[in-house]
Amino acid sequence: MTDDYHGVRVADPYRWLEDAENPETAAWVQAQNTLTRSRLPVPVRDALVKRLTELYDFPRTNVPFKRGGRYFYTHNTGLQDQPVLYVQDALDGARRVLIDPNAMTADGPVALTALAVNEAGTLAAYGLSHSGSDRQEIFLRDVETGVDPPDRLRWVKFASIAWVRDGSGFYYTRFPEPGTVASGDENYFNTVYYHHLGDQQRTDRLIFDKPAERETVFGVEVSDDDRWAVITAFKGSSDRSEVYLLDRHAPAAEPAPLFTGFHAAYAFIESAGGRLFFRTDVRAPRGRIVAVDPAKPGVAPEEIVAESTDKLSAALVIHHTIVAAYLHNASDTVRLFTLSGAPAGHVKLPAIGSLTGINGRPEDPEMFVGFTSFVHPPANYRYDFATGQLSRFGQSRLHVNPEQYETTQVWYPSKDGTRVSMFLVSRKDLPRDGNRPVLLTGYGGFNISLTPAFDPANFVLLDKGGIYAVANLRGGGEYGEAWHEAGMFERKQNTFDDFIAAAEWLVSSGYSKPQRIAIEGGSNGGLLTAAVMVQRPDLFGAVVCRVPVADMLRYHLFTVGRFWISEYGSADDAKLFPFLYKYSPLHNVTDGAAYPPILITTADTDDRVSPGMAKKFAARLQASGHPAPVLIRVETKAGHGAGKPLSKTIEEDADIFAFLFATLGV
């Protein structure tokens, strides 16, 4: 099959692999999985499963939040497939199970993927997804009895749920019911509805939509004073947004525009003192905080906290204080400000690392902070505003000794001279002998920041003298919007150049050599690893390419792909087609090239990144005639990654490291 793109004929011989229902595709997948399994050394893989099971067996709790005097959090005792939602009636009270997805029977794994509790702490709206799908169904649970009322909301993805203060209902976002729109459009045309408790979904009230803008998606929040429903509209996956206000105290009010044009990013923080606070990058690519008086819509926002040299990544109002999280050289810090913007101190975190979350309300005397690093498992802390002290919350158990490892941050020049940062994690006192096995990862897209995070699987490499390297590439969010924009659209090659330069620096600085460097990435990071492998096959010893966006000419035709046009552009655009075609991994495989061994992973129920792209990329590489193995692993009953059962995660990690160890000679 051949397509015409603005006068350029492009062959697509493996298009049949896009159709998962095709018997030929199913047979191809089965044969590929059999081949991949046969190439993984069984004793090594079995030993890895055992070791990874040990590494994953530690208690972990997400950041608690409080409603109506009750504390809610999810917790995994260690090896549970899914975390369990718990509630306790006091800070030092006994916990009890509220929702356990592990006990739910279905055709495939069930995951808890959305949660919002009413102000009184008596009802929880919760979302479930099946087999890793982005699709969710929203249910209610009575916190006291554990019984579910009959309310059931369908056709939800990327759920946003906001209760009104009296608990009579909530706003939520949903997509069209399949069959009411053209096939495929059920992934678009997002809307905001209001659900009154006890009503059938068909009677829910439409609050807001943009029917002429199919790629616009919404988030909805209710201000702490219950006065305003704040609707934030996004163009696909872009952070650039519009904001609309619905005055809940005005009868028959409609959402009114506050910020329009999708010219900049706006994130609602909270209401306080009659004003609404927002985080924005308007005239501040690293972010600042502004406030508006909704009673004076024509008055320009007042700057509360000015732009810093560090990126403002999150902000909340807790204890009548602005709590602001900043990224300093890709690591988190927490600063406090008064509501007028005056500095009010900072929260000293346990070490250099990352926040896993901050929770608290404007009236609360406390907040909860989650923290992690490359060598510290996630832990939660309670911060007391009266004393300024952090204290541990929840169970924890260190099953690795952080003192045995070290994390360093280095800076290296990219192709155009831009300085890029990179974290290196290893055992202490490793010799710099130019022969260390390295696993280099990156992302570089969608304004997403790669900060220090704990991954138990990495320790199977670290404990064998390897190095885990994380590069903070352009296209990511580590250094503000300008850094993000430097890796978008026709500038995407900067992202690849930054990653290539990271590997070159590891070689020139005496850490490793190309045959011992493996690269890894997923989704947009899968695009990254696929593209740099095709561009510089001589530079890497192995490639792990997870759920990749591999076909840059057709990615937007599947599932929610059109949401990413705001990041990549589209081949339908004659100006952007040449750039996409030039780096699209599928279209730049060269026959006879000496590519490194590659393991591609995808899942048959991934409804975010179409698995057909991974399959086509694997087929094209296998047909190119190079001698190194091209393996693809197609998971069943699992999606893009969110909600994946722990048992499946361990199995996949074991396959990946068995492949890497065999390829790198570890």
Side-chain angles (χ1 to χ4, degrees), residues 79-353:
L79 294 176
Q80 292 173 288
D81 267 341
Q82 301 290 343
V84 176
L85 178 65
Y86 288 89
V87 59
Q88 57 190 60
D89 294 330
L91 186 62
D92 57 354
R95 73 182 188 189
R96 54 189 171 87
V97 174
L98 186 58
I99 300 172
D100 183 2
N102 302 289
M104 299 178 181
T105 57
D107 181 21
V110 179
L112 176 66
T113 53
L115 178 66
V117 179
N118 68 353
E119 187 69 24
T122 57
L123 275 176
Y126 67 98
L128 298 179
S129 68
H130 297 262
S131 300
S133 172
D134 285 334
R135 289 276 172 192
Q136 300 164 299
E137 289 189 67
I138 306 299
F139 303 88
L140 292 179
R141 179 146 299 183
D142 186 300
V143 175
E144 188 64 41
T145 66
V147 174
D148 284 10
D151 304 62
R152 179 187 182 190
L153 307 179
R154 303 173 65 191
W155 313 301
V156 177
K157 268 184 158 184
F158 320 120
S160 180
I161 303 170
W163 284 90
V164 299
R165 183 172 284 273
D166 67 4
S168 59
F170 52 83
Y171 300 93
Y172 70 102
T173 57
R174 54 160 285 191
F175 288 85
E177 179 181 355
T180 65
V181 292
S183 178
D185 279 349
E186 65 272 10
N187 294 307
Y188 301 99
F189 299 108
N190 196 216
T191 49
V192 179
Y193 274 80
Y194 180 81
H195 176 71
H196 187 274
L197 297 188
D199 287 353
Q200 296 289 320
Q201 186 178 16
R202 65 176 180 271
T203 66
D204 287 352
R205 178 162 50 97
L206 175 65
I207 300 298
F208 194 64
D209 65 353
K210 279 179 167 280
E213 301 175 12
R214 63 186 296 196
E215 290 94 24
T216 298
V217 293
F218 302 106
V220 59
E221 300 165 87
V222 174
S223 61
D224 185 67
D225 59 9
D226 202 43
R227 174 72 184 272
W228 304 97
V230 182
I231 299 170
T232 307
F234 302 92
K235 280 286 190 184
S237 58
S238 172
D239 288 332
R240 294 183 178 183
S241 54
E242 295 184 333
V243 176
Y244 297 83
L245 299 181
L246 173 63
D247 187 347
R248 293 187 11 84
H249 293 184
E254 298 290 335
L258 180 63
F259 303 116
T260 59
F262 295 104
H263 300 307
Y266 292 93
F268 177 58
I269 299 173
E270 194 45 271
S271 63
R275 297 184 297 174
L276 301 177
F277 289 74
F278 291 86
R279 177 168 52 90
T280 183
D281 59 11
V282 173
R283 296 185 297 279
R286 290 182 298 277
R288 61 185 179 129
I289 296 174
V290 299
V292 299
D293 184 344
K296 301 175 182 178
V299 178
E302 175 190 358
E303 181 171 274
I304 303 298
V305 178
E307 182 182 23
S308 164
T309 55
D310 295 327
K311 179 190 174 179
L312 174 64
S313 54
L316 302 88
V317 174
I318 308 173
H319 193 60
H320 306 293
T321 301
I322 296 173
V323 179
Y326 286 87
L327 278 178
H328 176 71
N329 290 341
S331 296
D332 280 314
T333 62
V334 180
R335 306 175 197 172
L336 307 178
F337 300 90
T338 68
L339 294 178
S340 61
H346 67 280
V347 177
K348 183 175 174 58
L349 297 177
I352 294 175

Side-chain angles (χ1 to χ4, degrees), residues 9 31 51 109 111 132 152 158 164 257 259 269 363 371 375 379 385 399 416 438 662:
R9 303 289 292 177
R51 178 58 179 146
R152 179 187 182 190
F158 320 120
V164 299
F259 303 116
I269 299 173
E363 301 289 337
F371 175 81
V375 296
F385 281 89
H399 64 308
D416 62 359
V438 175

Side-chain angles (χ1 to χ4, degrees), residues 617-635:
F617 185 50
R620 176 67 184 96
L621 283 168
Q622 289 173 344
S624 69
H626 74 94
V630 176
L631 306 177
I632 182 169
R633 182 187 191 277
V634 184
E635 183 64 87

